[in-house]
Structures are given as C-alpha cells and as structure tokens.
Amino acid sequence: MIMIDAVLNGTDSITLGWDTGAGATYIPLAFQDSLEGKDSITINLGGQTVIYREKINFSDKKPLENGDSIILANWDLFRDKIVEISYDRKYIRVLDSTDGLENYERIPYKYDARTGHFYIPISLCVQGKVFHIEDALIDTGFNVAFVVYEKDIPGIDFPPRKELPKEDFRIRLDRKILADTIKAAGVFTTDMDIHIATPNPKRIGKMEYPNLLGNEFFSHFSVVFDFKNQNLYLKPLT
C-alpha cells in the first residue's frame, strides 16, 4: 500500500497507510489511552490537516520492516472529500474541487454500504481472450495489479497449481499469469502479472473478495477519488 508521513493530533510523527479495502481506519494501540472517547482526531498529511470524526478504532497494524505500527487509513478518513493520490511522488492531498481534471478518465464506482467497498467495471485480456469484470474491488492495500479466481477467466492455459500449505488459510495467491491489458473505461495498462487466487472451501464462506484491483495497477496513473460524487479519476502517467 502507499505509505505517507503523517502527524497525529499535531504532535506525534507516524506513518499512514492508505487501504481502501480495510474495514475501518485504525489507530495504533499506543494512542488508545489518550484518544479513546474523543469526538475527533486530526491527521496532518504534508501540510494539510484532515479531521477524522468517525468511530476511532484501535489496533496495531505493523507492515513496516522495523515493526512500528501505522495508521491504517480506510476511505472513511476522507468521507465526502476529493482526494488525490500520487504513487510516484508519494503524497495524498485533499482537493477543493474536480476542476482541472478534464484530461482524466472519469469512472463512476459502485459503493457497497454493507462491506464498505468500492467496485468498478474493467476488462481483462489474457492470452488474447477478453473478459469483462463488472465488479472489480478497488483495494489499495494489495500490492498487486489484479487478483482473480480461476473460474472467472475460463479457457486460459493456467500454470500448474502449487502444493497448498498444510497450515490454515482463507485465500492463497499461489500462481500468476501475464495479462495483455487491464482496462478501466478508456485507460489501460499492458503486460502486467495478475495473481490467481485459490480459496479454502472450509474458510472462505460468504466473503469472496476477488476480483481485487490493487496498487500495481493504480501506480501507473494519477489517481483522484471523488467521495462526494462516487467517481474515480485516472490519468496515465507520462
């Protein structure tokens, strides 16, 4: 996921990870005693201050190599805002409006209030065959281009399935193949590895998350989320 330097409540330097697939925004447990019960907190991102007024959740998320916890930020940190994400320049900032985005591809997304997830239609070309995916889940917490079940792209020459681990798992990304293109509306990427997901039928239950559209896809674009009007804007990087 994209990692940004942040300052919590004006005093504490911390790393913020942007993950649209997370169930909520989480603050490290070290801040629970000082923040629990407060109506809001402030998070400064490169000079811009965002006020978070949702329920404050506390949990230690530790994706950093040194073991430090981060703020795991879901979209609700930016509810009703317009947010620009730069993968190449490593920043997140709030925009006043969508003025100036005329050269971007505007893609309306579908919001599922039950899961808190966002979906857009995409088309996927693999081995010369085109597949239309109507519900690609936008997940900036996944550092891959796309995750798909084998059953959703039939007729493909898949690599052999690896031996599954003996330990318990829910979904395993055990194989990958090359996609000719991944296309969202009028913009696309070429020659990207996509991952084939193998679910554990004993654990998957009703939570079938693939198809997941992740950071390796979005990192090829300038990205703007308009959470006011449920639009995603993409412009290829030059």
Side-chain angles (χ1 to χ4, degrees):
M1 72 183 76
I2 186 170
M3 299 289 188
I4 304 295
D5 291 334
V7 177
L8 177 62
N9 272 0
T11 57
D12 295 290
S13 296
I14 193 168
T15 299
L16 179 142
W18 167 253
D19 183 359
T20 57
T25 292
Y26 294 95
I27 307 297
L29 287 170
F31 299 98
Q32 185 166 2
D33 288 344
S34 60
L35 297 180
E36 194 163 34
K38 291 188 177 298
D39 294 330
S40 65
I41 60 174
T42 63
I43 299 174
N44 186 280
L45 301 170
Q48 282 192 327
T49 297
V50 177
I51 302 175
Y52 180 68
R53 294 189 173 92
E54 306 294 322
K55 176 185 176 182
I56 302 177
N57 301 279
F58 298 96
S59 180
D60 279 330
K61 307 296 181 179
K62 299 182 177 181
L64 301 183
E65 291 182 1
N66 63 5
D68 286 351
S69 297
I70 67 167
I71 295 174
L72 184 65
N74 186 26
W75 71 273
D76 63 357
L77 178 62
F78 302 105
R79 187 183 296 275
D80 296 327
K81 294 181 173 60
I82 303 168
V83 184
E84 178 186 13
I85 300 97
S86 174
Y87 285 85
D88 55 337
R89 298 180 183 179
K90 296 291 187 295
Y91 67 74
I92 299 175
R93 64 184 179 189
V94 178
L95 305 179
D96 293 330
S97 70
T98 56
D99 294 345
L101 301 183
E102 292 80 11
N103 293 327
Y104 285 65
E105 188 78 17
R106 184 179 67 86
I107 307 169
Y109 63 75
K110 179 176 66 175
Y111 172 61
D112 185 340
R114 181 180 60 87
T115 62
H117 291 151
F118 305 96
Y119 301 86
I120 61 171
I122 67 169
S123 62
L124 184 70
C125 182
V126 181
Q127 297 173 4
K129 299 179 180 180
V130 178
F131 302 92
H132 298 287
I133 310 291
E134 293 300 323
D135 55 350
L137 191 161
I138 300 172
D139 192 342
T140 60
F142 252 87
N143 291 326
V144 299
F146 190 61
V147 179
V148 64
Y149 286 132
E150 185 175 319
K151 66 180 178 62
D152 292 326
I153 50 173
I156 295 300
D157 183 17
F158 291 102
R161 178 172 290 169
K162 297 180 181 179
E163 183 178 352
L164 296 178
K166 294 181 180 180
E167 67 268 17
D168 201 10
F169 70 97
R170 190 169 64 84
I171 296 176
R172 180 175 173 82
L173 307 185
D174 58 336
R175 293 168 293 163
K176 59 184 179 181
I177 56 175
L178 186 69
D180 305 321
T181 60
I182 303 173
K183 185 176 182 182
V187 296
F188 60 91
T189 60
T190 60
D191 299 327
M192 300 198 73
D193 283 332
I194 63 173
H195 287 71
I196 310 302
T198 298
N200 183 342
K202 296 180 180 179
R203 289 201 60 200
I204 188 64
K206 297 179 180 180
M207 305 300 286
E208 292 201 22
Y209 282 153
N211 308 296
L212 299 177
L213 192 62
N215 277 327
E216 284 190 16
F217 173 79
F218 290 109
S219 66
H220 287 74
F221 302 93
S222 294
V223 181
V224 175
F225 283 94
D226 180 357
F227 292 118
K228 289 182 177 181
N229 301 297
Q230 297 190 359
N231 288 314
L232 170 68
Y233 290 83
L234 298 177
K235 183 175 75 170
L237 298 176
T238 55

